[in-house]
Amino acid sequence: MKYAKFVNTKPVGYHDVVRMTNMGDSVQAFAVDHLFRYAGVNQNDVIGIPCRSAEAEEPCYLVVQGHFGRQYDMGFMHNDNIYPIFIGFALKDVFLTDEEVRYFKKYEPILCRDELTKNTLTGYGVEAYLSGCLSVCFPKRDQHAKGKRDKYYFVDVKKPFLDLVPENIKQNAVYTSQNLYMDEVNVDSMERGDQMAWKLIKEYSDNAKMVITSRLHCMTPCMAMGIPTIAVGNNFSHRYSFVDAFLESYDEEQFAGFDWSIPKGKADVEEVKELLLCAGKSMLARNPDMDKIKRLDQFYSNRNRWLYCKGIKKELKTIFNGVERPEYILWGASSGGFAVYEALRDLWPNQEMVAIVDSYAEGIFGGKVIRKPEEAIVKNPNAIVIISTMSGLESAEELLQKLDKKRDRDYFVVHENKIGG
């Protein structure tokens, strides 16, 4: 039977809106390739399944790695040709349907990318363990290769942080992004994302003295390759609740005091790589090595954690200053909305959101049926609207202003990737 991986090659409606592809999806596909090579899987036996689809025309074992939400990209659950192998799996919700629980239990153990996903699954009685992401298994770069390796790469670092960089560092700085913007959305432009991602990784390997980034799938391959790496941002969400085993994070205040010495890693990445690759190989063989899986889980469970959603929580406390049970509508049923939803749950665990709305997504989020924005907002005129989508921000504001809602009074924009975040 074939083995399969998700590939970032088929555009979906989301790409038509943002005209951008995230090279982090390509990084995860490269990581699965590395596992296949380690496990001795013949490349001729590997097929690609487009991200956010379930197009498998023949039986296959699919490595399900990535961040998944039922609104867009869990169609694999409904294809009888797909036999999932969960390694580095992450959820975009903490609510599961009965059907989903049965499905996960059928294919346990589930190796989870982040702690929130593990806790969600185990809370429903599913056997789940922390594995982190396969992208921590990128091979170490050649320490004796030619090249100066004197460049500081700033990858998707926002202006407030860049303003704090000393002039002598800026002289050797390179500014780049994990996002590839496209004039036209088609298969060719999506495949170009793979090529650009590989080129960028090679550039980091050859030239980087240090990588400074806000992006998860820049952090993980870089630190795996042995490149000194730090995480900068105010709003790291629970999606990062494994990479903090290896890296330090810096908010603006902490970054202002950074001394620009080469950071030391918090843990031995090479030891974790070997554990994860061995565990992954055993999962591919459908004979899970529970000793290695549990050792991996114990390593991540004992890490020193970052403070998640710190900037988001600060904004929410300001918005709902002194309110014990805030009435809110959340706009955005994807990754950005999930980070804000988790922050709201942490701050007000006993308060349910009035509604979850989205112009594109359908289904269930946070245990509630996703509704169309205008319907929910008109029905709940006193609820504060929290916009947690950047791609749909413009159209959201147009509708809210048409409904005579004012920004920073009736609605607020809160997102982990907001400028300044």
Side-chain angles (χ1 to χ4, degrees):
M1 196 156 74
K2 297 288 188 181
Y3 290 86
K5 62 176 182 177
F6 284 115
V7 291
N8 192 33
T9 55
K10 183 178 179 179
V12 294
Y14 167 78
H15 293 113
D16 287 323
V17 176
V18 298
R19 294 196 174 275
M20 177 270 289
T21 181
N22 177 2
M23 287 187 270
D25 293 333
S26 301
V27 167
Q28 292 182 87
F30 301 154
V32 176
D33 282 334
H34 185 55
L35 172 62
F36 285 155
R37 287 191 293 270
Y38 180 89
V41 174
N42 190 315
Q43 188 60 37
N44 294 328
D45 291 330
V46 176
I47 60 175
I49 294 178
C51 293
R52 302 178 177 89
S53 85
E55 297 177 5
E57 297 178 358
E58 57 183 312
C60 62
Y61 295 111
L62 171 66
V63 175
V64 185
Q65 172 179 267
H67 200 208
F68 294 87
R70 66 178 67 85
Q71 287 74 40
Y72 299 109
D73 40 23
M74 284 174 65
F76 62 84
M77 296 178 61
H78 307 291
N79 187 319
D80 291 338
N81 280 331
I82 291 176
Y83 297 82
I85 298 175
F86 291 96
I87 309 172
F89 173 69
L91 285 165
K92 294 179 184 175
D93 204 344
V94 293
F95 169 84
L96 299 180
T97 65
D98 291 342
E99 178 190 12
E100 289 163 351
V101 172
R102 287 192 294 270
Y103 184 86
F104 290 128
K105 286 189 71 66
K106 181 179 178 180
Y107 294 105
E108 57 190 12
I110 311 295
L111 303 193
C112 304
R113 191 174 83 182
D114 62 61
E115 194 165 39
L116 186 61
T117 298
K118 175 195 168 181
N119 293 343
T120 297
L121 289 170
T122 56
Y124 280 91
V126 179
E127 185 181 4
Y129 301 90
L130 266 171
S131 68
C133 180
L134 282 168
S135 57
V136 307
C137 294
F138 268 61
K140 197 167 186 177
R141 66 179 178 178
D142 184 354
Q143 298 303 309
H144 304 291
K146 294 181 180 179
K148 291 184 177 180
R149 291 184 173 169
D150 61 348
K151 302 297 183 185
Y152 293 85
Y153 281 84
F154 292 84
V155 186
D156 292 305
V157 177
K158 298 188 174 68
K159 188 176 184 301
F161 290 88
L162 295 177
D163 289 343
L164 298 170
V165 177
E167 288 301 321
N168 64 309
I169 300 297
K170 289 180 180 178
Q171 291 172 10
N172 286 316
V174 178
Y175 306 95
T176 187
S177 174
Q178 293 278 93
N179 297 334
L180 176 65
Y181 292 91
M182 303 171 285
D183 293 330
E184 185 177 356
V185 180
N186 53 39
V187 172
D188 288 341
S189 61
M190 297 294 288
E191 289 180 342
R192 194 161 64 249
D194 273 357
Q195 299 166 6
M196 292 297 294
W198 191 249
K199 181 180 177 182
L200 203 53
I201 288 168
K202 181 72 164 56
E203 186 175 341
Y204 299 151
S205 177
D206 291 344
N207 302 320
K209 179 175 183 177
M210 188 186 299
V211 170
I212 304 94
T213 183
S214 64
R215 302 297 289 272
L216 180 60
H217 287 106
C218 177
M219 296 173 198
T220 48
C222 286
M223 65 95 176
M225 291 189 293
I227 301 170
T229 304
I230 63 169
V232 294
N234 296 325
N235 280 328
F236 292 120
S237 70
H238 294 85
R239 291 191 303 115
Y240 295 77
S241 58
F242 75 94
V243 74
D244 48 1
F246 305 102
L247 300 180
E248 299 289 357
S249 68
Y250 296 81
D251 61 19
E252 283 180 62
E253 183 179 352
Q254 293 164 329
F255 191 60
F258 184 55
D259 65 5
W260 293 96
S261 61
I262 298 299
K264 294 181 180 179
K266 294 166 66 175
D268 183 353
V269 181
E270 296 304 311
E271 184 177 334
V272 177
K273 281 183 194 179
E274 187 63 23
L275 267 180
L276 179 52
L277 287 169
C278 287
K281 182 178 179 179
S282 75
M283 292 284 286
L284 293 179
R286 280 79 66 204
N287 184 26
D289 186 331
M290 295 310 301
D291 175 64
K292 289 186 171 58
I293 289 171
K294 289 178 180 179
R295 284 168 58 193
L296 196 60
D297 178 85
Q298 184 177 35
F299 163 76
Y300 281 115
S301 297
N302 292 336
R303 73 194 188 282
N304 290 322
R305 293 158 176 78
W306 295 348
L307 295 175
Y308 308 125
C309 302
K310 186 162 56 172
I312 293 175
K313 289 177 181 177
K314 183 179 178 180
E315 286 189 77
L316 292 172
K317 285 179 182 177
T318 300
I319 292 168
F320 298 115
N321 183 27
V323 178
E324 291 185 9
R325 298 180 66 85
E327 222 180 297
Y328 63 89
I329 293 170
L330 184 62
W331 188 321
S334 192
S335 300
F338 185 43
V340 177
Y341 175 66
E342 272 308 293
L344 285 159
R345 277 169 46 91
D346 285 349
L347 291 172
W348 294 282
N350 298 318
Q351 177 67 349
E352 289 188 5
M353 60 184 167
V354 172
I356 174 71
V357 303
D358 198 294
S359 298
Y360 304 99
E362 297 178 349
I364 298 172
F365 181 96
K368 288 186 177 292
V369 175
I370 300 167
R371 296 161 65 182
K372 293 304 177 187
E374 186 165 0
E375 168 200 346
I377 293 164
V378 169
K379 189 174 180 179
N380 301 280
N382 297 323
I384 296 293
V385 180
I386 305 295
I387 302 175
S388 58
T389 169
M390 298 310 288
S391 60
L393 175 59
E394 185 176 347
S395 59
E397 291 207 89
E398 284 180 5
L399 172 61
L400 286 162
Q401 289 165 10
K402 186 183 81 173
L403 296 173
D404 200 29
K405 303 289 186 181
K406 296 190 182 300
R407 184 168 182 166
D408 297 334
R409 187 195 71 184
D410 305 306
Y411 73 90
F412 298 81
V413 180
V414 183
H415 193 281
E416 61 181 318
N417 293 327
K418 192 170 72 173
I419 295 301

